[in-house]
mmCIF file of all heavy atoms in Angstrom:
data_model
loop_
_atom_site.group_PDB
_atom_site.id
_atom_site.type_symbol
_atom_site.label_atom_id
_atom_site.label_comp_id
_atom_site.label_asym_id
_atom_site.label_seq_id
_atom_site.Cartn_x
_atom_site.Cartn_y
_atom_site.Cartn_z
ATOM 1 N N ALA A 7 -8.328 -13.497 2.694
ATOM 2 C CA ALA A 7 -9.277 -13.607 1.650
ATOM 3 C C ALA A 7 -9.524 -12.229 1.009
ATOM 4 O O ALA A 7 -9.603 -12.100 -0.223
ATOM 5 C CB ALA A 7 -10.558 -14.198 2.102
ATOM 6 N N LYS A 8 -9.567 -11.250 1.824
ATOM 7 C CA LYS A 8 -9.715 -9.854 1.293
ATOM 8 C C LYS A 8 -8.550 -9.417 0.434
ATOM 9 O O LYS A 8 -8.762 -8.824 -0.627
ATOM 10 C CB LYS A 8 -9.906 -8.879 2.411
ATOM 11 C CG LYS A 8 -11.289 -8.939 3.129
ATOM 12 C CD LYS A 8 -11.383 -7.981 4.197
ATOM 13 C CE LYS A 8 -12.715 -8.078 4.929
ATOM 14 N NZ LYS A 8 -12.858 -7.112 6.028
ATOM 15 N N LEU A 9 -7.381 -9.782 0.821
ATOM 16 C CA LEU A 9 -6.205 -9.500 -0.008
ATOM 17 C C LEU A 9 -6.245 -10.235 -1.302
ATOM 18 O O LEU A 9 -5.794 -9.706 -2.361
ATOM 19 C CB LEU A 9 -4.904 -9.762 0.733
ATOM 20 C CG LEU A 9 -4.579 -8.769 1.926
ATOM 21 C CD1 LEU A 9 -3.501 -9.286 2.825
ATOM 22 C CD2 LEU A 9 -4.322 -7.385 1.387
ATOM 23 N N LEU A 10 -6.748 -11.435 -1.352
ATOM 24 C CA LEU A 10 -6.892 -12.191 -2.563
ATOM 25 C C LEU A 10 -8.006 -11.626 -3.474
ATOM 26 O O LEU A 10 -7.872 -11.470 -4.653
ATOM 27 C CB LEU A 10 -7.199 -13.660 -2.285
ATOM 28 C CG LEU A 10 -6.110 -14.464 -1.733
ATOM 29 C CD1 LEU A 10 -6.518 -15.879 -1.313
ATOM 30 C CD2 LEU A 10 -4.921 -14.602 -2.715
ATOM 31 N N LEU A 11 -9.093 -11.152 -2.803
ATOM 32 C CA LEU A 11 -10.238 -10.555 -3.538
ATOM 33 C C LEU A 11 -9.805 -9.161 -4.155
ATOM 34 O O LEU A 11 -10.393 -8.749 -5.125
ATOM 35 C CB LEU A 11 -11.424 -10.360 -2.599
ATOM 36 C CG LEU A 11 -12.133 -11.640 -2.231
ATOM 37 C CD1 LEU A 11 -13.163 -11.376 -1.159
ATOM 38 C CD2 LEU A 11 -12.802 -12.237 -3.483
ATOM 39 N N LEU A 12 -8.871 -8.577 -3.559
ATOM 40 C CA LEU A 12 -8.374 -7.230 -4.046
ATOM 41 C C LEU A 12 -7.955 -7.328 -5.475
ATOM 42 O O LEU A 12 -8.087 -6.386 -6.215
ATOM 43 C CB LEU A 12 -7.268 -6.725 -3.149
ATOM 44 C CG LEU A 12 -6.836 -5.274 -3.342
ATOM 45 C CD1 LEU A 12 -8.037 -4.278 -3.119
ATOM 46 C CD2 LEU A 12 -5.675 -4.980 -2.423
ATOM 47 N N HIS A 13 -7.498 -8.489 -5.941
ATOM 48 C CA HIS A 13 -7.066 -8.656 -7.297
ATOM 49 C C HIS A 13 -8.179 -8.443 -8.288
ATOM 50 O O HIS A 13 -7.975 -8.127 -9.459
ATOM 51 C CB HIS A 13 -6.445 -10.061 -7.543
ATOM 52 C CG HIS A 13 -5.068 -10.219 -6.983
ATOM 53 N ND1 HIS A 13 -3.921 -9.869 -7.660
ATOM 54 C CD2 HIS A 13 -4.669 -10.655 -5.761
ATOM 55 C CE1 HIS A 13 -2.856 -10.124 -6.921
ATOM 56 N NE2 HIS A 13 -3.306 -10.571 -5.769
ATOM 57 N N SER A 14 -9.478 -8.667 -7.840
ATOM 58 C CA SER A 14 -10.575 -8.549 -8.728
ATOM 59 C C SER A 14 -11.091 -7.098 -8.890
ATOM 60 O O SER A 14 -11.857 -6.818 -9.781
ATOM 61 C CB SER A 14 -11.740 -9.448 -8.226
ATOM 62 O OG SER A 14 -12.217 -8.994 -7.005
ATOM 63 N N VAL A 15 -10.603 -6.209 -7.984
ATOM 64 C CA VAL A 15 -11.150 -4.807 -7.997
ATOM 65 C C VAL A 15 -10.032 -3.758 -8.155
ATOM 66 O O VAL A 15 -10.342 -2.606 -8.351
ATOM 67 C CB VAL A 15 -12.034 -4.509 -6.790
ATOM 68 C CG1 VAL A 15 -13.240 -5.350 -6.741
ATOM 69 C CG2 VAL A 15 -11.233 -4.625 -5.542
ATOM 70 N N ALA A 16 -8.790 -4.167 -8.063
ATOM 71 C CA ALA A 16 -7.690 -3.255 -8.175
ATOM 72 C C ALA A 16 -6.715 -3.783 -9.217
ATOM 73 O O ALA A 16 -6.745 -5.019 -9.539
ATOM 74 C CB ALA A 16 -6.945 -3.100 -6.844
ATOM 75 N N PRO A 17 -5.840 -2.961 -9.784
ATOM 76 C CA PRO A 17 -4.833 -3.486 -10.748
ATOM 77 C C PRO A 17 -4.020 -4.557 -10.057
ATOM 78 O O PRO A 17 -3.713 -4.466 -8.869
ATOM 79 C CB PRO A 17 -4.012 -2.224 -10.990
ATOM 80 C CG PRO A 17 -4.887 -1.053 -10.759
ATOM 81 C CD PRO A 17 -5.807 -1.529 -9.594
ATOM 82 N N PRO A 18 -3.647 -5.609 -10.778
ATOM 83 C CA PRO A 18 -2.960 -6.757 -10.238
ATOM 84 C C PRO A 18 -1.638 -6.312 -9.490
ATOM 85 O O PRO A 18 -1.337 -6.851 -8.459
ATOM 86 C CB PRO A 18 -2.668 -7.596 -11.451
ATOM 87 C CG PRO A 18 -3.624 -7.273 -12.471
ATOM 88 C CD PRO A 18 -3.991 -5.786 -12.237
ATOM 89 N N GLU A 19 -0.925 -5.407 -10.069
ATOM 90 C CA GLU A 19 0.344 -4.977 -9.366
ATOM 91 C C GLU A 19 0.037 -4.287 -8.089
ATOM 92 O O GLU A 19 0.778 -4.506 -7.105
ATOM 93 C CB GLU A 19 1.132 -4.066 -10.288
ATOM 94 C CG GLU A 19 2.434 -3.581 -9.743
ATOM 95 C CD GLU A 19 3.444 -4.699 -9.434
ATOM 96 O OE1 GLU A 19 3.297 -5.786 -9.911
ATOM 97 O OE2 GLU A 19 4.387 -4.436 -8.629
ATOM 98 N N THR A 20 -1.030 -3.471 -7.979
ATOM 99 C CA THR A 20 -1.367 -2.830 -6.741
ATOM 100 C C THR A 20 -1.809 -3.868 -5.718
ATOM 101 O O THR A 20 -1.426 -3.782 -4.577
ATOM 102 C CB THR A 20 -2.536 -1.853 -7.001
ATOM 103 O OG1 THR A 20 -2.099 -0.855 -7.941
ATOM 104 C CG2 THR A 20 -2.968 -1.125 -5.673
ATOM 105 N N ALA A 21 -2.602 -4.861 -6.113
ATOM 106 C CA ALA A 21 -3.056 -5.908 -5.235
ATOM 107 C C ALA A 21 -1.863 -6.713 -4.710
ATOM 108 O O ALA A 21 -1.752 -7.075 -3.541
ATOM 109 C CB ALA A 21 -4.049 -6.783 -5.868
ATOM 110 N N ARG A 22 -0.924 -6.991 -5.590
ATOM 111 C CA ARG A 22 0.287 -7.810 -5.193
ATOM 112 C C ARG A 22 1.087 -7.036 -4.189
ATOM 113 O O ARG A 22 1.573 -7.527 -3.177
ATOM 114 C CB ARG A 22 1.114 -8.147 -6.416
ATOM 115 C CG ARG A 22 2.329 -8.987 -6.133
ATOM 116 C CD ARG A 22 3.423 -8.908 -7.142
ATOM 117 N NE ARG A 22 4.021 -7.583 -7.297
ATOM 118 C CZ ARG A 22 4.847 -7.005 -6.396
ATOM 119 N NH1 ARG A 22 5.184 -7.615 -5.266
ATOM 120 N NH2 ARG A 22 5.352 -5.824 -6.669
ATOM 121 N N ARG A 23 1.262 -5.713 -4.445
ATOM 122 C CA ARG A 23 2.037 -4.874 -3.528
ATOM 123 C C ARG A 23 1.372 -4.786 -2.148
ATOM 124 O O ARG A 23 2.026 -4.758 -1.104
ATOM 125 C CB ARG A 23 2.228 -3.476 -4.126
ATOM 126 C CG ARG A 23 3.242 -3.448 -5.256
ATOM 127 C CD ARG A 23 3.369 -2.108 -5.980
ATOM 128 N NE ARG A 23 3.434 -0.998 -5.073
ATOM 129 C CZ ARG A 23 2.824 0.139 -5.294
ATOM 130 N NH1 ARG A 23 2.074 0.277 -6.371
ATOM 131 N NH2 ARG A 23 2.941 1.107 -4.423
ATOM 132 N N ALA A 24 0.027 -4.668 -2.158
ATOM 133 C CA ALA A 24 -0.702 -4.596 -0.913
ATOM 134 C C ALA A 24 -0.529 -5.826 -0.102
ATOM 135 O O ALA A 24 -0.335 -5.787 1.136
ATOM 136 C CB ALA A 24 -2.157 -4.330 -1.175
ATOM 137 N N LYS A 25 -0.612 -6.952 -0.749
ATOM 138 C CA LYS A 25 -0.423 -8.243 -0.040
ATOM 139 C C LYS A 25 1.035 -8.387 0.510
ATOM 140 O O LYS A 25 1.160 -8.755 1.639
ATOM 141 C CB LYS A 25 -0.734 -9.401 -0.937
ATOM 142 C CG LYS A 25 -0.705 -10.735 -0.288
ATOM 143 C CD LYS A 25 -1.089 -11.874 -1.265
ATOM 144 C CE LYS A 25 -0.966 -13.213 -0.534
ATOM 145 N NZ LYS A 25 -1.182 -14.317 -1.456
ATOM 146 N N ALA A 26 1.990 -7.990 -0.261
ATOM 147 C CA ALA A 26 3.378 -8.104 0.164
ATOM 148 C C ALA A 26 3.643 -7.132 1.348
ATOM 149 O O ALA A 26 4.264 -7.530 2.333
ATOM 150 C CB ALA A 26 4.306 -7.729 -1.008
ATOM 151 N N LEU A 27 3.080 -5.902 1.294
ATOM 152 C CA LEU A 27 3.319 -4.931 2.358
ATOM 153 C C LEU A 27 2.610 -5.455 3.624
ATOM 154 O O LEU A 27 3.182 -5.355 4.689
ATOM 155 C CB LEU A 27 2.812 -3.565 1.911
ATOM 156 C CG LEU A 27 2.949 -2.519 2.996
ATOM 157 C CD1 LEU A 27 4.416 -2.301 3.379
ATOM 158 C CD2 LEU A 27 2.358 -1.203 2.574
ATOM 159 N N TRP A 28 1.412 -5.961 3.475
ATOM 160 C CA TRP A 28 0.698 -6.434 4.642
ATOM 161 C C TRP A 28 1.463 -7.509 5.312
ATOM 162 O O TRP A 28 1.595 -7.559 6.551
ATOM 163 C CB TRP A 28 -0.724 -6.924 4.256
ATOM 164 C CG TRP A 28 -1.591 -7.324 5.387
ATOM 165 C CD1 TRP A 28 -2.354 -6.525 6.136
ATOM 166 C CD2 TRP A 28 -1.638 -8.607 5.976
ATOM 167 N NE1 TRP A 28 -2.959 -7.272 7.153
ATOM 168 C CE2 TRP A 28 -2.535 -8.521 7.087
ATOM 169 C CE3 TRP A 28 -1.078 -9.843 5.672
ATOM 170 C CZ2 TRP A 28 -2.875 -9.620 7.839
ATOM 171 C CZ3 TRP A 28 -1.422 -10.978 6.457
ATOM 172 C CH2 TRP A 28 -2.270 -10.802 7.523
ATOM 173 N N ALA A 29 2.069 -8.450 4.553
ATOM 174 C CA ALA A 29 2.848 -9.502 5.153
ATOM 175 C C ALA A 29 4.056 -8.992 5.895
ATOM 176 O O ALA A 29 4.405 -9.394 7.009
ATOM 177 C CB ALA A 29 3.267 -10.504 4.081
ATOM 178 N N GLN A 30 4.726 -8.015 5.294
ATOM 179 C CA GLN A 30 5.948 -7.412 5.903
ATOM 180 C C GLN A 30 5.575 -6.715 7.206
ATOM 181 O O GLN A 30 6.278 -6.830 8.207
ATOM 182 C CB GLN A 30 6.621 -6.501 4.950
ATOM 183 C CG GLN A 30 7.270 -7.191 3.783
ATOM 184 C CD GLN A 30 7.741 -6.218 2.682
ATOM 185 O OE1 GLN A 30 7.162 -5.146 2.479
ATOM 186 N NE2 GLN A 30 8.795 -6.572 1.998
ATOM 187 N N LEU A 31 4.488 -5.917 7.146
ATOM 188 C CA LEU A 31 4.091 -5.207 8.323
ATOM 189 C C LEU A 31 3.609 -6.134 9.463
ATOM 190 O O LEU A 31 3.834 -5.885 10.645
ATOM 191 C CB LEU A 31 2.962 -4.214 7.981
ATOM 192 C CG LEU A 31 3.392 -3.057 7.129
ATOM 193 C CD1 LEU A 31 2.172 -2.268 6.592
ATOM 194 C CD2 LEU A 31 4.371 -2.098 7.862
ATOM 195 N N SER A 32 2.951 -7.184 9.049
ATOM 196 C CA SER A 32 2.574 -8.235 10.046
ATOM 197 C C SER A 32 3.753 -8.779 10.814
ATOM 198 O O SER A 32 3.764 -8.940 12.038
ATOM 199 C CB SER A 32 1.749 -9.318 9.401
ATOM 200 O OG SER A 32 0.515 -8.854 8.941
ATOM 201 N N LEU A 33 4.803 -9.128 10.072
ATOM 202 C CA LEU A 33 6.012 -9.628 10.702
ATOM 203 C C LEU A 33 6.654 -8.531 11.568
ATOM 204 O O LEU A 33 7.145 -8.815 12.619
ATOM 205 C CB LEU A 33 7.014 -10.092 9.625
ATOM 206 C CG LEU A 33 6.662 -11.409 8.946
ATOM 207 C CD1 LEU A 33 7.656 -11.693 7.762
ATOM 208 C CD2 LEU A 33 6.647 -12.580 9.900
ATOM 209 N N GLY A 34 6.652 -7.273 11.084
ATOM 210 C CA GLY A 34 7.247 -6.200 11.768
ATOM 211 C C GLY A 34 6.614 -5.846 13.062
ATOM 212 O O GLY A 34 7.242 -5.340 13.990
ATOM 213 N N CYS A 35 5.288 -6.086 13.205
ATOM 214 C CA CYS A 35 4.585 -5.649 14.458
ATOM 215 C C CYS A 35 4.544 -6.716 15.486
ATOM 216 O O CYS A 35 4.006 -6.518 16.538
ATOM 217 C CB CYS A 35 3.248 -5.020 14.105
ATOM 218 S SG CYS A 35 2.086 -6.138 13.493
ATOM 219 N N HIS A 36 5.050 -7.904 15.159
ATOM 220 C CA HIS A 36 5.010 -8.994 16.159
ATOM 221 C C HIS A 36 6.364 -9.225 16.710
ATOM 222 O O HIS A 36 7.373 -9.184 16.088
ATOM 223 C CB HIS A 36 4.512 -10.286 15.510
ATOM 224 C CG HIS A 36 3.089 -10.290 15.231
ATOM 225 N ND1 HIS A 36 2.603 -9.726 14.067
ATOM 226 C CD2 HIS A 36 2.042 -10.738 15.901
ATOM 227 C CE1 HIS A 36 1.248 -9.887 14.110
ATOM 228 N NE2 HIS A 36 0.891 -10.484 15.223
ATOM 229 N N TYR A 37 6.381 -9.442 18.073
ATOM 230 C CA TYR A 37 7.632 -9.631 18.784
ATOM 231 C C TYR A 37 8.028 -11.124 18.762
ATOM 232 O O TYR A 37 7.231 -11.966 19.109
ATOM 233 C CB TYR A 37 7.496 -9.130 20.256
ATOM 234 C CG TYR A 37 8.711 -9.444 21.102
ATOM 235 C CD1 TYR A 37 9.863 -8.649 20.962
ATOM 236 C CD2 TYR A 37 8.701 -10.499 21.966
ATOM 237 C CE1 TYR A 37 10.961 -8.900 21.682
ATOM 238 C CE2 TYR A 37 9.854 -10.735 22.733
ATOM 239 C CZ TYR A 37 10.963 -9.958 22.549
ATOM 240 O OH TYR A 37 12.102 -10.189 23.327
ATOM 241 N N HIS A 38 9.243 -11.369 18.381
ATOM 242 C CA HIS A 38 9.786 -12.753 18.370
ATOM 243 C C HIS A 38 11.131 -12.716 19.067
ATOM 244 O O HIS A 38 12.005 -11.909 18.734
ATOM 245 C CB HIS A 38 9.935 -13.314 17.006
ATOM 246 C CG HIS A 38 8.688 -13.329 16.158
ATOM 247 N ND1 HIS A 38 8.546 -13.925 14.986
ATOM 248 C CD2 HIS A 38 7.385 -12.859 16.490
ATOM 249 C CE1 HIS A 38 7.366 -13.817 14.529
ATOM 250 N NE2 HIS A 38 6.623 -13.198 15.431
ATOM 251 N N LEU A 39 11.368 -13.600 19.989
ATOM 252 C CA LEU A 39 12.626 -13.639 20.705
ATOM 253 C C LEU A 39 13.800 -13.917 19.794
ATOM 254 O O LEU A 39 14.934 -13.501 20.091
ATOM 255 C CB LEU A 39 12.526 -14.752 21.803
ATOM 256 C CG LEU A 39 11.755 -14.421 23.039
ATOM 257 C CD1 LEU A 39 11.634 -15.636 23.935
ATOM 258 C CD2 LEU A 39 12.317 -13.229 23.796
ATOM 259 N N TYR A 40 13.586 -14.684 18.751
ATOM 260 C CA TYR A 40 14.628 -15.142 17.883
ATOM 261 C C TYR A 40 14.939 -14.174 16.729
ATOM 262 O O TYR A 40 15.728 -14.461 15.890
ATOM 263 C CB TYR A 40 14.336 -16.533 17.365
ATOM 264 C CG TYR A 40 12.970 -16.591 16.654
ATOM 265 C CD1 TYR A 40 12.782 -16.299 15.374
ATOM 266 C CD2 TYR A 40 11.845 -16.974 17.393
ATOM 267 C CE1 TYR A 40 11.538 -16.291 14.795
ATOM 268 C CE2 TYR A 40 10.606 -17.063 16.872
ATOM 269 C CZ TYR A 40 10.463 -16.740 15.472
ATOM 270 O OH TYR A 40 9.207 -16.759 14.926
ATOM 271 N N GLU A 41 14.247 -13.033 16.700
ATOM 272 C CA GLU A 41 14.448 -12.068 15.614
ATOM 273 C C GLU A 41 14.639 -10.662 16.145
ATOM 274 O O GLU A 41 14.109 -10.279 17.196
ATOM 275 C CB GLU A 41 13.214 -12.006 14.687
ATOM 276 C CG GLU A 41 13.011 -13.212 13.830
ATOM 277 C CD GLU A 41 11.797 -13.032 12.915
ATOM 278 O OE1 GLU A 41 10.875 -12.227 13.244
ATOM 279 O OE2 GLU A 41 11.805 -13.719 11.912
ATOM 280 N N LEU A 42 15.456 -9.896 15.402
ATOM 281 C CA LEU A 42 15.535 -8.481 15.751
ATOM 282 C C LEU A 42 14.276 -7.814 15.183
ATOM 283 O O LEU A 42 13.758 -8.255 14.175
ATOM 284 C CB LEU A 42 16.770 -7.870 15.068
ATOM 285 C CG LEU A 42 18.131 -8.367 15.579
ATOM 286 C CD1 LEU A 42 19.231 -7.794 14.752
ATOM 287 C CD2 LEU A 42 18.285 -8.033 17.051
ATOM 288 N N GLY A 43 13.808 -6.747 15.767
ATOM 289 C CA GLY A 43 12.646 -6.074 15.250
ATOM 290 C C GLY A 43 13.010 -5.290 14.018
ATOM 291 O O GLY A 43 14.200 -5.227 13.598
ATOM 292 N N PRO A 44 12.061 -4.713 13.372
ATOM 293 C CA PRO A 44 12.361 -3.961 12.113
ATOM 294 C C PRO A 44 13.174 -2.666 12.461
ATOM 295 O O PRO A 44 13.046 -2.101 13.544
ATOM 296 C CB PRO A 44 10.956 -3.547 11.600
ATOM 297 C CG PRO A 44 10.062 -3.577 12.868
ATOM 298 C CD PRO A 44 10.642 -4.665 13.718
ATOM 299 N N THR A 45 14.009 -2.314 11.540
ATOM 300 C CA THR A 45 14.821 -1.144 11.694
ATOM 301 C C THR A 45 14.064 0.124 11.300
ATOM 302 O O THR A 45 13.054 0.022 10.628
ATOM 303 C CB THR A 45 16.126 -1.227 10.862
ATOM 304 O OG1 THR A 45 15.775 -1.228 9.495
ATOM 305 C CG2 THR A 45 16.926 -2.457 11.159
ATOM 306 N N TYR A 46 14.607 1.254 11.673
ATOM 307 C CA TYR A 46 13.993 2.528 11.302
ATOM 308 C C TYR A 46 13.890 2.634 9.786
ATOM 309 O O TYR A 46 12.840 3.038 9.250
ATOM 310 C CB TYR A 46 14.854 3.652 11.885
ATOM 311 C CG TYR A 46 14.433 5.042 11.451
ATOM 312 C CD1 TYR A 46 13.466 5.688 12.188
ATOM 313 C CD2 TYR A 46 14.944 5.621 10.298
ATOM 314 C CE1 TYR A 46 12.996 6.941 11.762
ATOM 315 C CE2 TYR A 46 14.503 6.886 9.911
ATOM 316 C CZ TYR A 46 13.524 7.564 10.629
ATOM 317 O OH TYR A 46 13.108 8.778 10.221
ATOM 318 N N ASP A 47 14.990 2.283 9.103
ATOM 319 C CA ASP A 47 14.970 2.388 7.621
ATOM 320 C C ASP A 47 13.938 1.480 6.983
ATOM 321 O O ASP A 47 13.271 1.884 6.031
ATOM 322 C CB ASP A 47 16.371 2.068 7.085
ATOM 323 C CG ASP A 47 17.416 3.170 7.392
ATOM 324 O OD1 ASP A 47 16.994 4.293 7.681
ATOM 325 O OD2 ASP A 47 18.596 2.814 7.458
#
């Protein structure tokens, strides 16, 4: 909800990028047997 509310107080592109980055980082910090972890790059 906070990431959605961010659109009302930050530029739309910044809010979109924040939501996308948060989603990528969330996947990156969780361990799944069926996936390789994130690479250094």
Side-chain angles (χ1 to χ4, degrees):
K8 287 179 182 180
L9 288 168
L10 290 172
L11 289 169
L12 190 59
H13 286 274
S14 66
V15 297
E19 181 62 16
T20 301
R22 185 201 61 75
R23 287 174 45 220
K25 184 178 178 187
L27 179 61
W28 185 87
Q30 291 169 329
L31 292 170
S32 291
L33 288 174
C35 66
H36 287 84
Y37 176 76
H38 300 187
L39 287 173
Y40 52 87
E41 290 182 335
L42 295 173
T45 66
Y46 175 86
D47 291 335

